[in-house]
Amino acid sequence: MLRFLTRRTIGAAVILLIIAAVTFFLFFAVPADPARLACGKICPPETLAQARHNLGLDQPIFVQFVEWLAGVFVGRDYDGLGHCPAPCLGYSFVNHAPVFDTIVDRMPVTISLTLGSAIIFLLFGVSTGVVAALNQGKALDKIASVSSLIGASVQIYFVGTLAMYFLVFQWDVIERPRYVPFTDNPLQWAYGLLLPWIVLAIIFTANYTRMTRSTMVEQLGEDYVRTARAKGMPARTVITRFALRGTLTPIVTIFGIDVGTLIGGAIITETTFSLQGIGRLSIQAVVNSDLPMLMATVLLAAAAIVVFNVIVDALYAVIDPRVRLS
C-alpha cells in the first residue's frame, strides 16, 4: 500500500507540474497586458515599465515560470509590493493582493457547499439505487428509474433558478442562500446553504441512483453472491457484505471525481445562488482579465481532481477485497 501511494503521489505531482507549466505559458498567449491591468487605463510609459518590473514581467518567460514555481514553495518578493509568503500563487492585478489570500477567503464557501451536498446526494443516491435493484421490475424500481432519468436530464441553472423564484421570492418558504461561517453559527451555516445543497443533490442523486442500481443488479447475479445465498447466509449479510461492497467500487470512483470537481469550483451553482466561492471567483477573474487569479483557480481545480483520484485508488483495496495493489 505504501509503495502504491508513493507511486501515485509522484505521478500526481508530475501531472500538476505539467498542468502548471501549460497554464503558465498559456497565460502569456492572452492578449491582455498584466502590467497594464495593474497600472490602469491611464498609465504613463515610465509607470507602466515600473509596473512590469515590480511584477517581474520584464524577465524571460522561463525565468518567470521558475520564480513562480519557487514562490509556491518558499514565497516570493515583489519589488514595490512586498513579500508574498509561501505558497505564493502570484499577485492579483485587480485585487492588488496575493492570490493565495483571496483563495483562502473564498475556500470555506466552496468546501461547505461541496461537503453538504456530497453527503446528501451520496446517501440518497446509493440508498435509492439499492432499493430499486432489490425490487427490480416492481413499482419502486420503475419510480426510481423514471425519477433518476428526469433528474439527470435537468441542469443546475434551470432547477436553481426555479427553486429561487418559487421557494425564495414567490412562496417565501426559505430565505435567500447565504454563507455564514460554521464557527459563527452552525445552524445558520446549514440553513443558508440548504437550498444549494438540495439543488445539487437533485442533479447528482440521479446519477448515483442509476449507477448503483445497474451495478447492484449485476452484483446480485455474480457467482459468489449466489454461493453465499446457497450457504444459507441471511439476506442482509449477502447484500451488505458481498453485493453492496462490490457495488461501491464504481460509486467511489465517480464520487471522488464529483467532489474534486466541486471543490475546484462549482461555477454554475455559485453563480446561480450568488455565493462567493472559488467558482464565482474564477468567473470574476475571467471577466476582469485577472490572469494570475485565473491561473490559480485552474490549478486548484486540477489539484483537487488529482488528489481525490489518488484517494479513490487507495480506497479500492478497502472497499473491494478482489482489488490487489502491488
Side-chain angles (χ1 to χ4, degrees):
M1 175 68 77
L2 182 60
R3 290 179 56 190
F4 170 79
L5 291 178
T6 302
R7 187 170 64 250
R8 291 289 290 155
T9 301
I10 294 174
V14 173
I15 292 175
L16 290 177
L17 180 61
I18 294 174
I19 294 175
V22 172
T23 306
F24 187 89
F25 289 110
L26 285 178
F27 167 84
F28 291 94
V30 179
D33 185 359
R36 175 70 65 179
L37 294 173
C39 187
K41 294 183 179 180
I42 303 177
C43 185
E46 59 275 7
T47 306
L48 182 62
Q50 185 62 42
R52 286 197 176 96
H53 176 72
N54 291 341
L55 296 172
L57 300 175
D58 55 349
Q59 301 182 29
I61 296 178
F62 181 76
V63 175
Q64 293 184 46
F65 175 70
V66 172
E67 290 187 353
W68 178 87
L69 189 62
V72 175
F73 299 98
V74 298
R76 184 178 178 184
D77 291 320
Y78 287 95
D79 293 338
L81 300 175
H83 179 70
C84 177
C88 180
L89 299 177
Y91 191 86
S92 173
F93 309 140
V94 176
N95 299 333
H96 300 286
V99 169
F100 184 76
D101 293 346
T102 305
I103 289 180
V104 169
D105 292 337
R106 300 290 189 94
M107 184 59 75
V109 179
T110 300
I111 290 180
S112 299
L113 181 64
T114 300
L115 293 181
S117 60
I119 292 173
I120 295 175
F121 66 65
L122 181 63
L123 291 178
F124 277 90
V126 173
S127 301
T128 305
V130 170
V131 171
L134 295 178
N135 294 273
Q136 186 178 5
K138 299 180 180 179
L140 287 176
D141 181 25
K142 295 179 180 179
I143 293 174
S145 299
V146 173
S147 300
S148 62
L149 182 61
I150 295 174
S153 302
V154 297
Q155 299 296 323
I156 294 176
Y157 60 83
F158 176 74
V159 179
T161 302
L162 288 180
M164 285 282 290
Y165 177 75
F166 287 105
L167 298 180
V168 177
F169 300 113
Q170 194 74 14
W171 299 334
D172 196 22
V173 175
I174 190 173
E175 66 179 32
R176 185 167 184 162
R178 61 191 179 94
Y179 175 72
V180 176
F182 180 83
T183 53
D184 292 351
N185 191 322
L187 292 179
Q188 285 297 324
W189 168 79
Y191 185 66
L193 295 174
L194 181 61
L195 187 58
W197 287 349
I198 294 175
V199 171
L200 276 175
I202 291 174
I203 307 299
F204 284 91
T205 296
N207 296 327
Y208 285 84
T209 298
R210 296 168 62 194
M211 176 69 73
T212 303
R213 181 197 175 279
S214 61
T215 311
M216 189 73 172
V217 169
E218 180 181 347
Q219 290 295 317
L220 290 174
E222 292 288 342
D223 292 338
Y224 70 93
V225 175
R226 291 199 298 264
T227 302
R229 284 175 171 174
K231 289 182 176 180
M233 289 187 178
R236 178 177 298 180
T237 303
V238 174
I239 293 172
T240 56
R241 291 188 57 186
F242 295 95
L244 183 59
R245 197 169 187 178
T247 302
L248 289 179
T249 302
I251 299 300
V252 169
T253 301
I254 62 173
F255 182 71
I257 296 175
D258 288 339
V259 172
T261 303
L262 289 174
I263 289 181
I267 297 176
I268 299 177
T269 307
E270 293 176 3
T271 303
T272 301
F273 296 103
S274 299
L275 297 173
Q276 300 298 325
I278 300 299
R280 189 76 181 275
L281 181 64
S282 63
I283 293 294
Q284 294 170 346
V286 173
V287 173
N288 298 323
S289 298
D290 192 355
L291 303 182
M293 187 68 71
L294 184 59
M295 286 175 52
T297 54
V298 169
L299 289 175
L300 176 64
I305 295 174
V306 169
V307 169
F308 274 92
N309 270 283
V310 173
I311 295 175
V312 165
D313 290 343
L315 287 175
Y316 281 166
V318 178
I319 296 173
D320 194 341
R322 296 173 299 175
V323 177
R324 294 293 180 264
L325 303 178
S326 58

